[in-house]
Amino acid sequence: MKTNSVWSTIFGRAALAALLAIGCGVASAQPIYRENPRSATPGIDQHQQRQQQRIYNGVRRGELTGHEARRLEQQQRRIRHMERRARADGVVTRQERHQIQAAQRQASRSIRNQRQDSRRY
């Protein structure tokens, strides 16, 4: 009888340890910091990444000179600064979001124009 209680205790503790290990694994998969949904800007962030890639590709393909790329990168820095300022208070308002998106559209046109001007001459 005593042998059964020892084994049940061992198996019980092993099962508890396994459950804790699984629980810790699941907990560690969750992000520790959750961003305020009202300050989240996933669409803006994705647009920024695509624009950065377009600038990089333009330089790599020889469609952009170093000077043009620096000017476009400066535009991207201004947009990131606008986004940081908008997020500073924890809420990105509709007006702030529209201003950032307008700046991104302008930057996108600049990237397109600069990359294509090498083809015009």
Side-chain angles (χ1 to χ4, degrees), residues 49-114:
Q49 289 173 352
R50 283 192 308 270
Q51 287 182 344
Q52 287 295 135
Q53 188 64 42
R54 288 172 59 206
I55 293 169
Y56 171 76
N57 289 340
V59 171
R60 191 171 50 83
R61 293 179 183 152
E63 297 168 342
L64 293 173
T65 66
H67 179 71
E68 290 169 336
R70 280 190 298 278
R71 197 168 47 223
L72 293 171
E73 288 290 343
Q74 185 179 23
Q75 244 181 337
Q76 295 300 304
R77 278 193 299 277
R78 282 195 297 264
I79 293 170
R80 284 192 300 273
H81 182 71
M82 288 173 69
E83 187 178 1
R84 273 196 303 275
R85 270 197 334 248
R87 284 180 167 188
D89 63 356
V91 176
V92 179
T93 65
R94 182 176 292 157
Q95 180 182 4
E96 290 168 332
R97 192 176 306 273
H98 287 300
Q99 288 172 344
I100 294 167
Q101 289 169 340
Q104 283 182 320
R105 283 190 300 274
Q106 177 60 45
S108 186
R109 284 190 295 272
S110 295
I111 295 168
R112 183 183 61 242
N113 292 338
Q114 292 298 312

Side-chain angles (χ1 to χ4, degrees), residues 20-34:
L20 284 175
I22 291 170
C24 290
V26 170
S28 67
Q30 300 297 319
I32 294 172
Y33 171 75
R34 290 200 174 94

Side-chain angles (χ1 to χ4, degrees), residues 2 10 15 19 26 28 36 45 47 63 66 83 109 119:
K2 193 165 191 155
I10 291 173
L19 287 174
V26 170
S28 67
N36 178 353
D45 296 337
H47 200 133
E63 297 168 342
E83 187 178 1
R109 284 190 295 272
R119 297 179 211 157

